Amino acid sequence: MRLKTTLVILLISFTLGVFAQNVPTPKSHFGFDIGDDYKLANFSQTEAYFKKVADASDRVQMVEIGKTEYGRSQPMMIVTAPSNFAKLDRYKEISQTLAHAEISKEEAQKLSIEGKPVIWIDGGLHANEVVGPHQLIETLYQLASRDDAETLKILEDVIILLVHANPDGMEIMSDWYMRNDDPEKRDQNIPILYQKYVGHDNNRDFYMNNMSEAANMSLQQYVEWIPQIIYNHHQTAPAGAVVAGPPYRDPFNHVFDPLIITSLDAVGAAMINRMHQEDKPGYTRLDGSVFSTWWNGGLRTTPYYHNIIGILTEIIGNPTPYTIPLVPDRLIPNNGTPYPVTPQVWPFRRSIDYSVSLNYAIFNHAVRHGDELLYNIYLMGRKSIEKGSQDNWTMYPKFAQAVQDEFAESQKNAGENSSRSRIPSQYYDSVYTDPGNRDPRGYILSADQPDFPTAVKFMNALIKSGILVEKATEEFNVNGKTYPENSFIVKTAQAFRPHVLDMFEPQDHPNDFLYPGGPPIRPYDAAGWTLAFQMGVEVDRFYEGFDGPFERIPYGEIQSPPSKALANGSGYLLDVRNNNSFMAVNDLLKAKVKVYRTAATVGGLPTGSFYVSGGKKELEVAAKEYGVYPVPASMPKGATQIQPARIGLYDYYGGSMPSGWVRWMMEQFHFEYQLVFPQEIDAGDLNDKYDVLLFISSGIPSVGSRGYSRSQPKPEEIDEKYHHMLGSFTADESIPQLKKFVENGGEIISVGSATELAFHFGLPVEDALVEIGTDGKAKSLSGEKYYVPGSVLEMHVDNSVPINYGMGDEAYIMFNRSPVFKLAPSAGNRGVKPIAWFGEEEPLRSGWAWGQSYLKNGVTAFEAKMGKGKFYAFGPEITFRAQSHGTFKMLFNGLYK
């Protein structure tokens, strides 16, 4: 038997090794070994190397998965044994079939044996984390050139996808680092974001898929290949560790399958075991790092909701030599860090070696458990379909609390003390079999809702993420309600049900404190995000099965609003409730067509809708492409002509991500704008150039601080084209110029933390989230009393004020530790009034909010007259990551004069 095995390995070695000797080494191409200190490759060089390897090796195919935001090619390397390429389409088909789970268990078992596990390895998503893209280069070289038995077995049994996650960022970061001839002076302090619009937030886009790179990768992950494991490389590790990896700390999201959690244990064991086998210390896991499996939206977390094992590691390493610091607590071996690393100088190359070993650990896990990985993704999908086809109760924390509360109330009424251990099972039944607590079986998004184009965008976000969506081919009726043709239907009886629930239903984050009565443990990113809420779409939920004249939309097929011919008319109204109306209006204004806003409800359309009497060409485009259907009408009484405002969007050296998201939004909706930096603000005369200035979240110092700026180089150290970005926003120089701008007739719209401008301006508003200490001074509420991480809340809206035109009486908002205000008694006399607020009720709709009573009647947004101009403050993130379409109008309304 041993002889046969040896002969097979020799045969495979001969077959695979023919071309291996011709694979160019990285040093022969780049001029240095990957991992050499003070050396970084850029993307252009990397792409050329990928092509060389693909040309030289029959183990590698290079494909383009799409274009980046800067127009570069985004590559994926398919790596496997040469014999597997002939059946590559078949292996992809098997992966898709098992993931969609619409076959019998017997068929699935056969396909699990026939198929090959698909493993995704990426690098470079965050371009300042330079280990990632460089380990990708080294891993490709080793897979293409090595002829050892381990590598040959991996190639024979596994399909490997090596994916560059951010070509633009690698080019920007590496060129910047290598620009200085003196290695000691090399740095990563780039002047712009390393992803065109969103920088680090490119790993916050994987359920929305706004950015090209995210959409490219999601197509491969959830429509084309549907890998069983997705490994997302990042850095850096917690201080005193080398690498943080799976398994991760609690909580995990309650909608995805428990096999995800136990599979993470299995893959994590393979990874840490290999580190220890190779005497590589410093791997930390569980509560050794901050990462959990709660949040959806990252490259490694969105896979969980698709029954895919998502792996994240955060590793140390930099071409500029790094030293592991002394952290005494990290030197104590425990379950989180079984094999601590000691303080030492850490070469860049050692991080590359660790990364390649971690990749190989996953490859070997796939070799040993390939059929299990394939069958498990089927099994999770099959269970999802079954859950969506019958009554099901997800075990949310709120239900466990309801059981406890009901029992406690019964004991109170009986005059007894409650005890959790004595709770009868009837209290389980009263909650977990209550029909009102069931999960929905499906959703309908009616095509006749006022902002149907935004509903289409919501559907496209799901479709890009591999969700099965259906569309009505004709009018139909469900539960006595009639829905028109082109309405969308999303049923939960599908393999990726966890993602469907996560996009439509509230997240119920458990109360998570360091200890009872102690401070909250901050969630990794957001606690709640329900996309249907954020986008403000109208959704009907159904708790029983339903059907109709529905056709399946092919997986990955992007949808558009129905195209209609422009109706005959001498003038037209455009509905302000439809976000795309702003796109059409901007086209009309650019074409020099006169546009008016209504002063009252006209033709069933709300106040603030638009009226035009020309621009047939632009209106035809709106009706055919934007889902904006102009309504024939005559000139409404009291309508006011508008003009495009001259818009300035605040930014600073290094780039603001919140500002970058708004840049992208402005371009999508055809607004023209200019970026404004601190130097220009301090120079004054802002009214000569701008009508509106936008300050989105970061960049404004708190009152009493010296100023706000990121680390900046000296002008002589950088190209002159970046000089205008340098400078700091300060209270002494910048605030007086902004105040002068508003008082002379300008308008400022501030969002999130940028509302600190209100306090700089001395407006009669106060922070509502404070308490008076024993010294009589106001201080911020402690986390033990009040804590709201990123979550979806609901606020009341005054939609009679122009900046809120088109909004409903209530709005869902992304509340991300956002400011809340209370107005001073003198506010009304000074022209300050609330335009959105919380009421008496608790506002949490999705996520986690501790101490909601402190939000009661708090002002979330206000407008203030200042001289001839106006200042607007929106505490919530009304433009949050270009996801919160439901509140976009609160910005867009303010961009005309």
Side-chain angles (χ1 to χ4, degrees), residues 321-379:
Y322 174 84
T323 300
I324 295 177
L326 173 60
V327 181
D329 288 348
R330 287 278 181 190
L331 297 176
I332 305 170
N334 57 29
N335 197 38
T337 312
Y339 184 13
V341 67
T342 57
Q344 58 188 278
V345 175
W346 193 263
F348 189 36
R349 176 65 198 192
R350 199 165 181 198
S351 293
I352 302 298
D353 291 340
Y354 265 61
S355 297
V356 173
S357 289
L358 291 165
N359 290 340
Y360 264 70
I362 290 178
F363 299 151
N364 272 309
H365 180 80
V367 168
R368 291 176 171 84
H369 303 279
D371 59 338
E372 182 180 281
L373 289 169
L374 289 164
Y375 187 69
N376 279 354
I377 197 172
Y378 162 80
L379 197 60

Side-chain angles (χ1 to χ4, degrees), residues 650-679:
Y650 179 64
D651 206 343
Y652 45 75
Y653 186 90
S656 160
M657 291 183 290
S659 178
W661 280 115
V662 172
R663 273 196 291 137
W664 183 81
M665 283 170 51
M666 303 277 269
E667 292 173 16
Q668 300 306 302
F669 286 90
H670 304 178
F671 286 99
E672 294 185 349
Y673 66 93
Q674 297 292 326
L675 293 180
V676 180
F677 293 88
Q679 285 185 46

Side-chain angles (χ1 to χ4, degrees), residues 50 65 74-77 119-126 129 131-137 139 160-166 203 206 217 221-222 227 229-234 298-301 303 310-313 355 359 362-363:
F50 287 171
I65 62 173
Q74 186 168 10
M76 179 171 76
M77 317 298 288
I119 307 301
W120 169 293
I121 308 286
D122 64 56
L125 184 66
H126 289 155
E129 301 170 4
V131 174
H134 287 79
Q135 64 79 27
L136 206 61
I137 299 169
T139 299
I160 300 167
L161 308 178
L162 301 179
V163 184
H164 200 299
N166 185 7
N203 199 27
F206 283 93
M217 289 186 279
Q221 291 171 336
Y222 307 125
I229 300 178
I230 289 176
Y231 181 9
N232 180 215
H233 283 261
H234 282 269
L299 202 160
R300 69 95 187 180
T301 58
I311 302 295
L312 164 81
T313 55
S355 297
N359 290 340
I362 290 178
F363 299 151

Side-chain angles (χ1 to χ4, degrees), residues 763-790:
L763 295 174
V765 297
E766 301 172 17
D767 184 351
L769 302 176
V770 297
E771 61 182 350
I772 304 303
T774 55
D775 57 0
K777 295 182 179 179
K779 62 178 182 179
S780 297
L781 293 167
S782 66
E784 290 86 345
K785 293 182 177 180
Y786 167 82
Y787 184 67
V788 186

